[in-house]
mmCIF file of all heavy atoms in Angstrom:
data_model
loop_
_atom_site.group_PDB
_atom_site.id
_atom_site.type_symbol
_atom_site.label_atom_id
_atom_site.label_comp_id
_atom_site.label_asym_id
_atom_site.label_seq_id
_atom_site.Cartn_x
_atom_site.Cartn_y
_atom_site.Cartn_z
ATOM 1 N N GLU A 16 -88.419 43.912 -45.872
ATOM 2 C CA GLU A 16 -87.175 44.595 -46.011
ATOM 3 C C GLU A 16 -86.297 44.024 -47.243
ATOM 4 O O GLU A 16 -85.576 44.789 -47.900
ATOM 5 C CB GLU A 16 -86.456 44.553 -44.658
ATOM 6 C CG GLU A 16 -86.882 45.343 -43.481
ATOM 7 C CD GLU A 16 -88.038 44.812 -42.840
ATOM 8 O OE1 GLU A 16 -88.440 43.557 -43.141
ATOM 9 O OE2 GLU A 16 -88.709 45.356 -41.979
ATOM 10 N N HIS A 17 -86.411 42.732 -47.330
ATOM 11 C CA HIS A 17 -85.797 42.082 -48.588
ATOM 12 C C HIS A 17 -86.311 42.637 -49.790
ATOM 13 O O HIS A 17 -85.667 42.908 -50.863
ATOM 14 C CB HIS A 17 -85.916 40.581 -48.555
ATOM 15 C CG HIS A 17 -85.102 39.948 -47.477
ATOM 16 N ND1 HIS A 17 -85.634 39.589 -46.325
ATOM 17 C CD2 HIS A 17 -83.889 39.359 -47.538
ATOM 18 C CE1 HIS A 17 -84.655 38.820 -45.544
ATOM 19 N NE2 HIS A 17 -83.641 38.876 -46.352
ATOM 20 N N GLN A 22 -85.895 46.925 -56.228
ATOM 21 C CA GLN A 22 -85.617 48.070 -57.053
ATOM 22 C C GLN A 22 -84.227 47.905 -57.749
ATOM 23 O O GLN A 22 -83.930 48.680 -58.727
ATOM 24 C CB GLN A 22 -85.970 49.310 -56.482
ATOM 25 C CG GLN A 22 -85.044 49.587 -55.218
ATOM 26 C CD GLN A 22 -85.540 50.703 -54.384
ATOM 27 O OE1 GLN A 22 -85.952 51.719 -54.849
ATOM 28 N NE2 GLN A 22 -85.370 50.524 -52.979
ATOM 29 N N TRP A 27 -77.763 47.069 -65.266
ATOM 30 C CA TRP A 27 -77.605 48.541 -65.054
ATOM 31 C C TRP A 27 -76.234 49.032 -65.772
ATOM 32 O O TRP A 27 -75.280 48.229 -65.668
ATOM 33 C CB TRP A 27 -77.467 48.795 -63.601
ATOM 34 C CG TRP A 27 -78.656 48.585 -62.829
ATOM 35 C CD1 TRP A 27 -78.946 47.353 -62.236
ATOM 36 C CD2 TRP A 27 -79.755 49.326 -62.640
ATOM 37 N NE1 TRP A 27 -80.015 47.492 -61.619
ATOM 38 C CE2 TRP A 27 -80.631 48.606 -61.834
ATOM 39 C CE3 TRP A 27 -80.063 50.615 -62.997
ATOM 40 C CZ2 TRP A 27 -81.844 49.042 -61.324
ATOM 41 C CZ3 TRP A 27 -81.313 51.235 -62.381
ATOM 42 C CH2 TRP A 27 -82.110 50.372 -61.562
ATOM 43 N N ARG A 32 -66.915 57.492 -61.392
ATOM 44 C CA ARG A 32 -65.815 58.516 -61.200
ATOM 45 C C ARG A 32 -65.208 58.098 -59.868
ATOM 46 O O ARG A 32 -65.767 57.748 -58.946
ATOM 47 C CB ARG A 32 -66.414 59.925 -60.968
ATOM 48 C CG ARG A 32 -67.192 60.290 -62.252
ATOM 49 C CD ARG A 32 -67.288 61.858 -62.522
ATOM 50 N NE ARG A 32 -66.242 62.139 -63.216
ATOM 51 C CZ ARG A 32 -65.805 63.307 -63.500
ATOM 52 N NH1 ARG A 32 -66.389 64.407 -63.063
ATOM 53 N NH2 ARG A 32 -64.753 63.572 -64.299
ATOM 54 N N GLN A 36 -57.423 60.659 -53.966
ATOM 55 C CA GLN A 36 -57.235 61.474 -52.897
ATOM 56 C C GLN A 36 -57.958 62.780 -53.115
ATOM 57 O O GLN A 36 -58.434 63.057 -54.116
ATOM 58 C CB GLN A 36 -55.801 61.685 -52.570
ATOM 59 C CG GLN A 36 -55.118 62.546 -53.791
ATOM 60 C CD GLN A 36 -53.658 62.551 -53.577
ATOM 61 O OE1 GLN A 36 -52.956 61.786 -52.796
ATOM 62 N NE2 GLN A 36 -52.864 63.283 -54.315
ATOM 63 N N LYS A 49 -74.997 43.548 -63.112
ATOM 64 C CA LYS A 49 -76.125 42.715 -63.300
ATOM 65 C C LYS A 49 -76.477 42.110 -61.855
ATOM 66 O O LYS A 49 -75.694 41.435 -61.224
ATOM 67 C CB LYS A 49 -75.949 41.429 -64.266
ATOM 68 C CG LYS A 49 -75.565 41.817 -65.672
ATOM 69 C CD LYS A 49 -75.385 40.711 -66.638
ATOM 70 C CE LYS A 49 -75.183 41.257 -68.006
ATOM 71 N NZ LYS A 49 -74.968 40.072 -68.960
ATOM 72 N N THR A 51 -79.139 39.933 -59.569
ATOM 73 C CA THR A 51 -80.145 38.923 -59.584
ATOM 74 C C THR A 51 -80.499 38.444 -58.057
ATOM 75 O O THR A 51 -79.665 38.576 -57.251
ATOM 76 C CB THR A 51 -79.601 37.608 -60.414
ATOM 77 O OG1 THR A 51 -78.472 37.151 -59.841
ATOM 78 C CG2 THR A 51 -79.488 37.994 -61.800
ATOM 79 N N LEU A 59 -79.464 39.456 -52.626
ATOM 80 C CA LEU A 59 -79.220 40.102 -53.957
ATOM 81 C C LEU A 59 -77.855 39.924 -54.423
ATOM 82 O O LEU A 59 -76.853 40.141 -53.642
ATOM 83 C CB LEU A 59 -79.550 41.590 -53.842
ATOM 84 C CG LEU A 59 -79.460 42.414 -55.212
ATOM 85 C CD1 LEU A 59 -80.512 43.535 -55.155
ATOM 86 C CD2 LEU A 59 -78.130 42.883 -55.385
ATOM 87 N N LYS A 74 -63.403 43.876 -62.519
ATOM 88 C CA LYS A 74 -64.607 43.061 -62.235
ATOM 89 C C LYS A 74 -64.817 43.033 -60.801
ATOM 90 O O LYS A 74 -63.858 43.192 -59.924
ATOM 91 C CB LYS A 74 -64.294 41.541 -62.743
ATOM 92 C CG LYS A 74 -64.150 41.505 -64.171
ATOM 93 C CD LYS A 74 -63.895 40.087 -64.598
ATOM 94 C CE LYS A 74 -63.863 39.983 -66.077
ATOM 95 N NZ LYS A 74 -63.589 38.530 -66.507
ATOM 96 N N GLY A 75 -66.076 42.954 -60.440
ATOM 97 C CA GLY A 75 -66.379 42.798 -58.980
ATOM 98 C C GLY A 75 -67.617 42.074 -58.736
ATOM 99 O O GLY A 75 -68.481 41.911 -59.688
ATOM 100 N N ASN A 82 -80.885 41.365 -42.585
ATOM 101 C CA ASN A 82 -80.605 40.456 -41.417
ATOM 102 C C ASN A 82 -81.832 40.698 -40.453
ATOM 103 O O ASN A 82 -81.708 41.870 -39.795
ATOM 104 C CB ASN A 82 -79.307 40.586 -40.782
ATOM 105 C CG ASN A 82 -79.075 39.682 -39.647
ATOM 106 O OD1 ASN A 82 -79.989 39.202 -39.054
ATOM 107 N ND2 ASN A 82 -77.730 39.286 -39.506
ATOM 108 N N TYR A 88 -79.276 46.048 -42.933
ATOM 109 C CA TYR A 88 -78.846 45.369 -44.197
ATOM 110 C C TYR A 88 -77.350 45.125 -44.104
ATOM 111 O O TYR A 88 -76.734 45.786 -43.403
ATOM 112 C CB TYR A 88 -79.177 46.490 -45.407
ATOM 113 C CG TYR A 88 -80.558 46.508 -45.682
ATOM 114 C CD1 TYR A 88 -81.385 47.467 -45.043
ATOM 115 C CD2 TYR A 88 -81.074 45.719 -46.717
ATOM 116 C CE1 TYR A 88 -82.776 47.535 -45.294
ATOM 117 C CE2 TYR A 88 -82.616 45.792 -46.940
ATOM 118 C CZ TYR A 88 -83.330 46.679 -46.197
ATOM 119 O OH TYR A 88 -84.667 46.811 -46.639
ATOM 120 N N GLY A 97 -58.064 44.422 -55.527
ATOM 121 C CA GLY A 97 -57.336 43.998 -54.452
ATOM 122 C C GLY A 97 -57.925 42.653 -53.899
ATOM 123 O O GLY A 97 -58.878 42.061 -54.333
ATOM 124 N N SER A 106 -78.677 50.768 -43.232
ATOM 125 C CA SER A 106 -80.140 50.887 -43.238
ATOM 126 C C SER A 106 -80.708 51.646 -44.508
ATOM 127 O O SER A 106 -80.046 52.286 -45.109
ATOM 128 C CB SER A 106 -80.424 51.731 -41.955
ATOM 129 O OG SER A 106 -79.976 53.094 -42.008
ATOM 130 N N TYR A 114 -80.036 54.684 -48.976
ATOM 131 C CA TYR A 114 -79.525 53.609 -48.291
ATOM 132 C C TYR A 114 -78.151 54.091 -47.704
ATOM 133 O O TYR A 114 -77.331 54.675 -48.510
ATOM 134 C CB TYR A 114 -79.281 52.365 -49.189
ATOM 135 C CG TYR A 114 -78.367 51.254 -48.577
ATOM 136 C CD1 TYR A 114 -78.747 50.333 -47.731
ATOM 137 C CD2 TYR A 114 -76.911 51.357 -49.039
ATOM 138 C CE1 TYR A 114 -77.978 49.389 -47.212
ATOM 139 C CE2 TYR A 114 -76.134 50.331 -48.556
ATOM 140 C CZ TYR A 114 -76.617 49.405 -47.691
ATOM 141 O OH TYR A 114 -75.778 48.390 -47.118
ATOM 142 N N PHE A 120 -62.150 49.421 -42.860
ATOM 143 C CA PHE A 120 -61.402 48.489 -43.537
ATOM 144 C C PHE A 120 -59.864 48.862 -43.514
ATOM 145 O O PHE A 120 -59.436 50.057 -43.216
ATOM 146 C CB PHE A 120 -61.822 48.238 -44.994
ATOM 147 C CG PHE A 120 -61.620 49.534 -45.855
ATOM 148 C CD1 PHE A 120 -60.635 49.525 -46.831
ATOM 149 C CD2 PHE A 120 -62.368 50.644 -45.814
ATOM 150 C CE1 PHE A 120 -60.399 50.616 -47.658
ATOM 151 C CE2 PHE A 120 -62.297 51.724 -46.588
ATOM 152 C CZ PHE A 120 -61.195 51.813 -47.332
ATOM 153 N N MET A 122 -56.730 49.862 -45.788
ATOM 154 C CA MET A 122 -56.537 50.404 -47.079
ATOM 155 C C MET A 122 -55.595 49.318 -47.789
ATOM 156 O O MET A 122 -54.528 49.108 -47.274
ATOM 157 C CB MET A 122 -55.874 51.830 -47.025
ATOM 158 C CG MET A 122 -55.626 52.374 -48.419
ATOM 159 S SD MET A 122 -57.072 52.788 -49.374
ATOM 160 C CE MET A 122 -57.483 54.361 -48.816
ATOM 161 N N VAL A 134 -73.446 55.698 -49.593
ATOM 162 C CA VAL A 134 -74.818 56.266 -49.715
ATOM 163 C C VAL A 134 -75.322 55.959 -51.100
ATOM 164 O O VAL A 134 -74.662 56.343 -52.126
ATOM 165 C CB VAL A 134 -74.753 57.788 -49.412
ATOM 166 C CG1 VAL A 134 -76.210 58.247 -49.580
ATOM 167 C CG2 VAL A 134 -74.124 58.057 -48.140
ATOM 168 N N GLY A 153 -63.422 57.129 -36.952
ATOM 169 C CA GLY A 153 -64.136 58.071 -36.158
ATOM 170 C C GLY A 153 -64.261 59.483 -36.716
ATOM 171 O O GLY A 153 -64.750 60.363 -35.954
ATOM 172 N N ALA A 155 -65.959 62.428 -38.686
ATOM 173 C CA ALA A 155 -67.368 62.848 -38.997
ATOM 174 C C ALA A 155 -67.599 62.885 -40.583
ATOM 175 O O ALA A 155 -66.702 62.975 -41.226
ATOM 176 C CB ALA A 155 -67.639 64.353 -38.427
#
Side-chain angles (χ1 to χ4, degrees):
E16 290 83 4
H17 288 95
Q22 61 197 322
W27 301 86
R32 303 204 89 191
Q36 61 189 16
K49 293 182 181 178
T51 57
L59 181 149
K74 295 182 180 184
N82 183 332
Y88 287 90
S106 59
Y114 167 81
F120 69 101
M122 180 68 89
V134 178

